[in-house]
Amino acid sequence: MSRSALAAVLGTALLATVLSAPNPTAAAPPPPQVVPKLPHVTKPTTVTLVTGDKVTLTPDPDGTSQVQLQPVARPNGYTPHLQMVETSQQRLVVPDDALPYLSAGVLDRGLFDINYLVANGYADDATS
């Protein structure tokens, strides 16, 4: 198995672990899953994550958005695998090298929540 394939498999497993939370009310039926919509954009909108990686949302004629993930090579030459994960509240784009910091609580998941970042003015064109 190649290094990038292994990193993708391990990253997916670790991300699933980080994002799963125990259900404190196991007896109650789970609420319906609501997948957040991508923020409505009228022009290509890029968000640069705290890691330097970029996510670009491009509007489609039908009102939806296409997502382009653009990983950035790290100083040591490693280019991370970016994963887009949807929860009931967030749409996260997480580089695999950030996963240990998320699981340790060093980084907040909100730093990788595209919906939050665009809606709150953190798109690149909104901050320049």
Side-chain angles (χ1 to χ4, degrees):
M1 183 179 284
S2 72
R3 180 179 172 169
S4 61
L6 179 60
V9 169
L10 291 175
T12 300
L14 184 56
L15 187 58
T17 302
V18 168
L19 296 178
S20 64
N23 185 356
T25 57
Q33 181 77 11
V34 176
V35 176
K37 293 182 179 179
L38 284 170
H40 178 71
V41 294
T42 57
K43 62 181 181 170
T45 302
T46 300
V47 175
T48 301
L49 301 174
V50 68
T51 55
D53 306 296
K54 294 182 182 285
V55 180
T56 300
L57 304 174
T58 305
D60 278 342
D62 65 1
T64 62
S65 296
Q66 294 293 317
V67 180
Q68 180 183 7
L69 306 178
Q70 305 153 349
V72 173
R74 303 303 189 243
N76 66 359
Y78 176 71
T79 301
H81 175 73
L82 300 180
Q83 300 175 37
M84 191 161 84
V85 178
E86 298 171 352
T87 70
S88 62
Q89 301 296 318
Q90 299 173 309
R91 187 177 304 257
L92 307 169
V93 174
V94 181
D96 60 3
D97 58 345
L99 291 173
Y101 303 102
L102 281 169
S103 64
V106 175
L107 292 176
D108 186 274
R109 293 185 338 183
L111 294 170
F112 302 97
D113 183 354
I114 300 309
N115 292 1
Y116 174 84
L117 295 171
V118 171
N120 288 282
Y122 292 104
D124 292 0
D125 63 345
T127 59
S128 55

